[in-house]
Amino acid sequence: MALKQYLQFKLSQKLSPQQIQLMKLIQLPTQAFEQRLKQELEENPALDTGKESDTSEDTFDEFDNTDDYNDNDTIEAEDINVDEYLSDDEIPDYRTQANNYSSDDEEKSVPYAAGTSFTQHLINQLNTFRLSEQEEEIAYFLVGSVDESGYIRRSLSDITDDLAFTQNIYTSEEEIEKVLKIVHRLDPAGVGARNLQECLSIQLSRKEQHPDVELASAIIDKAFEQFTKKHYKKLMQKFSINEEQLKDAIEEIERLNPKPGGSYAGNNKIVEHIVPDFAIKIVDGELELTLNGRNAPELHVSREYNNMLKGYKDSKEKSKAQKDAVMFIKQKLDAAKWFIEAVRQRQQTLFVTMSAIMNYQKEYFLTGDERKLRPMILKDIADEIEMDVSTISRVANSKYVDTPYGTKLIKEFFSESMTNADGEEVSTREIKKILETVIEKENKKKPLTDEALSKILKEKGYPIARRTVAKYREQLDIPVARLRKEL
């Protein structure tokens, strides 16, 4: 019975719509918050932005929200009192403070790459070839199938079917292959390839031919798998060449572009533009935190809506229509006041959370040395500032901070811990940094295996198993030893 009551009690702990909206606001990074603010200003005429100096001193009692009246009802002036909406708190006291917010207020927009689209760029080139009507339609379809990296990743059989079903073009794989060879002559070199091997092969075939390029072409066309797996001895045996010749051929291959589409500036892709939500500076040997000023808008209740309420108060007789209008105004004022308070809470939550993270990782922010990062999980910060773990997660997962060492995603400062040989807790981030450093300094002709890396870390006081080394290496996007090998 007690368990049932406990479950019922737990289920009753539901978040209000306002709390849910606040959580959503906290999660938004600066640019998304600006969009949300703009949307709220457009949807709620009772909410206004900018400075408001004329404060109303009228005071009223709470408006009685009753529905038991008819069209002929009149309402006494003293029945409508709205001090909540006309009081001094329409100009919030949480405006920009020098110690909390930076002056980064200039308008910034997401830049777009200008110019002709990538597809149109390819079509313009097709127009210089002599093609039959059917070949031209197939060529246009193939160009339309090129992805942003410059590849056609669909099989010829699928393309044949699509041409029949969607374009009423009945053709064969042989004819498509013939037209594809024309697409392969377009710029940038390698566009329209079906895989990396074909992409590199096309680029090499269009280069000025000399022994190094010819050997590179033979390696890509006849021994691609051995090349990708860096089986250099097998390659030297297969082509009867020495190490120097192989090295020269590999250098030719390394000059090629594995993503020909990505190099075209006119593909109209949005350029990612990160706006830091915080900034940390070192001033006189101490850390100084600021919240981006664009997160601290000046909001107040619309003066026009205040005047509407004043007009209602001053009128002697009040009809149902007037009361309906006031009810609408009240609803909008409630929403405006809630939003202003939610923005204030968002600012406070962001600043308090980041301040706790900054102080927790003080040594790192003062030095920039990732080995100084302390083990830190969400709960550490949640306990420190007495907030819910989910709130800390919302701040950490989507916000960036500008530091003297570059702009960082806040969640990168969190890491689990492990105990080293001296019994001290160290951050897994610190271990990864040491692992990265060891790999950077290895002899690339004989790269270290995961087993060898594990032994080195143990010697340095970090008892890490081989499988854990492999996991950290993969998280760092570092390939296995064989693929790190160089001539």
Side-chain angles (χ1 to χ4, degrees):
M1 189 67 166
L3 179 61
K4 185 177 179 182
Q5 288 175 334
Y6 173 74
L7 287 172
Q8 287 175 335
F9 173 75
K10 289 294 285 183
L11 288 170
S12 69
Q13 305 302 302
K14 294 179 180 177
L15 289 174
S16 68
Q18 287 84 358
Q19 287 172 312
I20 293 168
Q21 288 297 321
L22 176 60
M23 288 299 102
K24 288 181 178 178
L25 276 184
I26 288 170
Q27 190 164 336
L28 296 176
T30 297
Q31 283 187 309
F33 170 70
E34 286 185 309
Q35 290 300 315
R36 176 70 181 83
L37 176 63
K38 183 180 177 183
Q39 178 189 347
E40 192 71 22
L41 286 166
E42 288 173 352
E43 292 177 358
N44 190 351
L47 183 67
D48 216 340
T49 187
K51 293 186 177 180
E52 177 74 23
S53 57
D54 182 21
T55 310
S56 171
E57 295 181 359
D58 292 329
T59 54
F60 304 91
D61 293 328
E62 177 68 34
F63 176 54
D64 183 18
N65 187 4
T66 56
D67 295 319
D68 52 319
Y69 60 90
N70 56 52
D71 286 352
N72 298 320
D73 280 347
T74 59
I75 304 162
E76 295 301 318
E78 55 269 22
D79 289 343
I80 303 295
N81 293 323
V82 285
D83 61 326
E84 272 190 68
Y85 314 113
L86 299 179
S87 64
D88 288 342
D89 71 355
E90 72 184 46
I91 302 175
D93 58 4
Y94 65 88
R95 286 181 175 172
T96 304
Q97 299 172 31
N99 64 328
N100 278 9
Y101 313 118
S102 72
S103 58
D104 181 18
D105 287 323
E106 76 259 29
E107 191 62 35
K108 292 176 183 171
S109 58
V110 181
Y112 286 80
T116 313
S117 73
F118 186 31
T119 305
Q120 189 59 51
H121 172 68
L122 298 175
I123 289 172
N124 290 346
Q125 294 178 69
L126 277 179
N127 294 335
T128 65
F129 290 86
R130 283 191 177 179
L131 302 170
S132 67
E133 187 176 337
Q134 174 140 320
E135 285 174 340
E136 189 176 81
E137 288 177 327
I138 293 171
Y140 284 176
F141 190 85
L142 288 172
V143 161
S145 301
V146 172
D147 66 17
E148 60 188 24
S149 296
Y151 287 82
I152 293 176
R153 302 195 188 267
R154 307 179 62 224
S155 69
L156 293 186
S157 60
D158 285 347
I159 292 172
T160 306
D161 292 341
D162 269 6
L163 281 166
F165 292 127
T166 65
Q167 309 294 317
N168 285 326
I169 298 171
Y170 298 94
T171 184
S172 64
E173 290 183 32
E174 290 73 24
E175 186 176 12
I176 294 174
E177 182 93 50
K178 178 186 168 187
V179 177
L180 185 58
K181 296 295 182 190
I182 295 168
V183 173
H184 288 168
R185 291 163 64 185
L186 305 180
D187 288 324
V191 74
R194 286 161 287 182
N195 51 54
L196 178 60
Q197 182 180 12
E198 188 171 53
C199 178
L200 300 178
S201 180
I202 292 166
Q203 291 179 61
L204 287 166
S205 69
R206 289 173 58 174
K207 291 188 78 161
E208 182 183 345
Q209 297 300 299
H210 54 75
D212 292 342
V213 172
E214 289 166 5
L215 176 57
S217 293
I219 290 170
I220 294 301
D221 293 341
K222 299 173 184 176
F224 185 69
E225 188 177 351
Q226 289 171 326
F227 166 72
T228 57
K229 291 182 176 178
K230 296 196 174 183
H231 290 155
Y232 295 141
K233 286 183 180 177
K234 290 182 181 178
L235 289 173
M236 287 188 281
Q237 289 170 359
K238 183 179 180 71
F239 295 101
S240 301
I241 54 174
N242 59 35
E243 190 174 300
E244 194 61 35
Q245 288 172 303
L246 178 59
K247 192 174 181 180
D248 291 341
I250 288 174
E251 282 179 2
E252 288 291 343
I253 295 170
E254 287 174 345
R255 293 193 191 104
L256 306 177
N257 185 356
K259 292 185 178 181
S263 63
Y264 184 74
N267 54 10
N268 282 350
K269 285 179 65 182
I270 295 177
V271 178
E272 191 174 1
H273 187 68
I274 294 170
V275 176
D277 305 271
F278 307 92
I280 292 177
K281 294 179 182 176
I282 301 172
V283 181
D284 297 329
E286 291 296 322
L287 297 174
E288 183 181 276
L289 174 68
T290 52
L291 175 64
N292 189 319
R294 291 156 68 176
N295 288 288
E298 292 179 326
L299 299 172
H300 58 268
V301 172
S302 165
R303 175 58 51 194
E304 186 180 347
Y305 266 56
N306 284 339
N307 292 337
M308 286 182 191
L309 286 176
K310 286 179 186 176
Y312 179 83
K313 179 212 168 194
D314 294 340
S315 93
K316 293 181 181 177
E317 290 192 4
K318 299 170 177 65
S319 66
K320 176 182 180 296
Q322 285 175 304
K323 184 170 182 178
D324 286 344
V326 171
M327 290 296 293
F328 173 80
I329 292 169
K330 178 183 181 297
Q331 181 187 29
K332 292 299 180 184
L333 288 171
D334 278 337
K337 282 179 160 289
W338 171 81
F339 190 77
I340 289 170
E341 174 60 19
V343 169
R344 184 192 69 79
Q345 287 187 38
R346 176 183 182 274
Q347 290 170 212
Q348 184 179 22
T349 302
L350 294 188
F351 192 82
V352 168
T353 303
M354 189 62 227
S355 184
I357 292 169
M358 180 183 74
N359 290 328
Y360 203 96
Q361 302 290 7
K362 187 173 183 178
E363 281 194 65
Y364 164 74
F365 285 114
L366 284 172
T367 63
D369 186 349
E370 290 192 3
R371 290 170 296 182
K372 302 278 188 182
L373 278 171
R374 295 171 59 194
M376 180 177 73
I377 58 173
L378 295 172
K379 191 175 185 300
D380 293 329
I381 300 302
D383 291 346
E384 180 80 21
I385 59 178
E386 297 182 347
M387 286 189 183
D388 195 80
V389 169
S390 64
T391 303
I392 311 305
S393 176
R394 283 180 170 85
V395 175
N397 283 335
S398 57
K399 308 291 188 302
Y400 287 84
V401 58
D402 183 28
T403 75
Y405 326 107
T407 300
K408 311 284 186 180
L409 182 61
I410 293 167
K411 74 174 182 181
E412 291 178 359
F413 302 129
F414 289 84
S415 64
E416 298 288 343
S417 66
M418 68 155 286
T419 307
N420 66 11
D422 297 327
E424 300 169 331
E425 277 207 344
V426 293
S427 165
T428 52
R429 183 76 181 269
E430 177 184 334
I431 298 165
K432 286 179 186 177
K433 188 67 182 175
I434 293 166
L435 177 64
E436 199 172 24
T437 305
V438 170
I439 291 172
E440 279 175 8
K441 293 179 179 178
E442 72 184 357
N443 178 357
K444 294 302 178 187
K445 290 196 174 187
K446 292 182 180 179
L448 297 164
T449 63
D450 291 341
E451 189 66 45
L453 290 168
S454 176
K455 286 179 182 177
I456 291 171
L457 286 171
K458 281 177 185 173
E459 289 168 7
K460 290 180 176 288
Y462 303 99
I464 309 291
R466 185 202 58 78
R467 63 180 178 276
T468 309
V469 168
K471 182 178 80 171
Y472 290 169
R473 178 179 52 69
E474 286 168 6
Q475 289 173 351
L476 291 166
D477 286 330
I478 297 172
V480 295
R482 180 168 42 77
L483 296 182
R484 299 200 304 272
K485 189 175 180 181
E486 294 176 6
L487 287 171

